[in-house]
Amino acid sequence: MTVMSYLGAIGAAQREAMDADERVIIIGEDVEANVYGTTGGGKSRSDKGDFLQRYGKNRIRNTPISEEGIVGAAAGAAMTGLRPIVDLSYSSFLYMAMDQFVNQVAKNRYMFGGQASMPVVFRSAMFYGLNTGAHHSDRPYPMFMNVPGLKIIAPATPADAKGLLRSAVDSDDPILSFEACLLWSAKEDVDENEFWIPLGVARTAREGTDVTVVAISSSVPEAVAAAEELAREGVSVEVIDPRTLVPLDRDAILRSVAKTGRLVVAEPAHRTCGAAAEISALVAEEIFDSLKAPIIRVTAPDMQIPFSPSLEKQMYPTKATIAAAIRRVVDLPALQPVAAAV
Amino acid sequence: MAELARDTLREMQLRMLRIRAFDERASKMVKRGHIPGTVHTSIGQEAQVVGATMALGAGDYMSGNHRSHGHPIGKGSPLGPLMAELVGKATGVCKGKGGSLHLADFAVGSLGESGIVGSSIPIANGAALSSKVLNNGKVALAFFGDGAANQGVLYESMNMAGVWDLPMIFLCENNQYALSTPAHTVTSGIISERAAGFGMPGIRVEEGQDVLAVYDAVSEAVARARAGDGPTLVEVMTYRYNEHSEGLRLGTDYRNAGEREAWLKKDPIVLFRHYLASQGFSDDELDGLQATALAEVDAAVAFSDASPYPDLSVAFDDLYTDKESAA
Ligand SMILES: Cc1ncc(C[n+]2csc(CCOP(=O)(O)OP(=O)(O)O)c2C)c(N)n1
Ligand SMILES: [Mg+2]
């Protein structure tokens, strides 16, 4: 074990993947100079661990600012023998390549009757909560959950970032990784040896019996902090981090809510048609009778992200807003058993 | 022009005849409801398709567009699974999941046709990138129309191919219309001249109904690509005889009067037949090629007719590599 930051863990996974398989390449804007901190040992070419030095220009490639062309080329390269990791820097830039994501990356394997493999990982970081204004603060993963054919990961810890990325690179399906800048400096002990965390398996961040909080990305540490606060008041909160949004570990969520009977879902994306909406619907459809209280979503509102720090800080779930939601679901009286629907 | 072997010349004519026969049959089958949906034929554009596909090697890659049957046929894909795909049969080249717009036959390097105009251009570019990184000597070609030439992704791709010296050919099938829109009314300047802005050769094949003219131009581009000298933009002037898609009835108002008749007189298959006759091919041999193409199409339809439709149980197959992820 060694202490790694979230960002360092991503770099470590990329280095392991590059070492393990010659077909893995990294392309993206400014990857040669390690501008975003996952392709080098530091900010200097001479720093130990610099990817360009280690792997050369053939496998570490700066691209022009042409997101649609980059995403399409990565898809074509993946269909013909490479396993690209594409660093798209900000998640907000994914919109530039929407046609390629939706019409080529997601559909080619199916449309072509399984002839195409699409072993490609599209990494991007969600810069929300950092006063970057409306053009750089997006959390667009729910839009892509609506695109069959893509798999989606959203790691919330350094260990998950490392282990999930290795599995993503090894997958023959296209993966979008949504990383959170707010977590970049989070640190924990991480295995410095290779390890893989399977896609589609949730992590129980904290066990509890009274309420389930399903939390996504940077809402996970906020939910854990809220759970710790509520524990002092005698409320036992279980925090589930799906880690992978597609495929979603439905069983882990349903199992936990069946046990606790109460659900709060917290995520930094917009409210309408978000992951929280999907998870709420899943629970309501499958185990409605287990619920002792209405489900509560804690999300960003359906609005643009304002620039001013005083305005932006209220946008995303925090320990306080998640704790308030937990208090609401435990204070409410249990629902009467529902008569069979007519 | 390089001297071509008789076998190559014969094969060129056969492939053009295959495309013509296949598309004429497909057109009828759409009108009779035998093929669901619609198709876009390459009738009239056979020289442009075959001249380009035969300039590629068997292992080379290509991507295409909605005018989609000629490309894989030109690359040597067998007709049966292509026809079965058009009909939606389980034996289709894409197991009935793609249809006319999404034909792909990876066995012959066909990485897929595309229903979204311009969308498959970067796919071929990526194949060229993988050839370059893996150093495997393969070349990639993207077919796209004059309409697609106004999509931004083409220029992103040309820039990338240029700066990385990718073994790539951008092949613009300029049939002078995008659906009902004459190219000159929406296109500034000459498409092939846009290559200069990216530091790559841009070639316009004016005689795009002459299969050898297309073959020569594309062969030169392929040689350049294979030698590591980077991409080329080739614009081929051609003409589609049929409507944009089968069943569409736009009339001829959007075309210039007499234009179609003039192009019919330069039919690529007739032109090449004359050429082959001048090279000593007998009438019997040339008629035989025609009969072969028609028989192959008959057999393809019979293959399709005898094939089952896909069972509902396979609907989710190939959404992901694992079945569990398909909810
Ligand atoms: C992105 C996109 N826009 C519009 C269409 C509708 N459409 C299909 S084919 C076509 C014309 C394409 O013209 P061109 O690229 O010249 O190809 P051609 O049909 O002439 O072979 C149009 C407008 C589409 N399929 N995709
Ligand atoms: Mg056209």
Side-chain angles (χ1 to χ4, degrees), chain B residues 68-109:
Chain B
S68 52
H69 314 155
H71 305 142
I73 296 173
K75 197 77 166 54
S77 187
L79 302 189
L82 294 174
M83 186 57 85
E85 188 62 33
L86 266 52
V87 180
K89 294 298 182 80
T91 56
V93 70
C94 301
K95 301 183 189 162
K97 303 283 181 67
S100 162
L101 282 174
H102 307 300
L103 296 178
D105 186 354
F106 281 40
V108 300

Side-chain angles (χ1 to χ4, degrees), chain B residues 65-67 115-117 145-148 151 175 177-179 240 244:
Chain B
N65 62 0
H66 54 282
R67 208 162 294 292
I116 306 294
V117 168
D146 49 283
Q151 287 282 32
N175 61 8
Y177 293 92
L179 221 162
R240 72 168 151 75
H244 169 72

Side-chain angles (χ1 to χ4, degrees), chain A residues 51-63:
Chain A
F51 277 40
L52 193 58
Q53 293 242 329
R54 272 175 89 101
Y55 306 111
K57 283 227 178 224
N58 207 32
R59 295 180 66 202
I60 300 291
R61 223 171 249 271
N62 271 357
T63 60

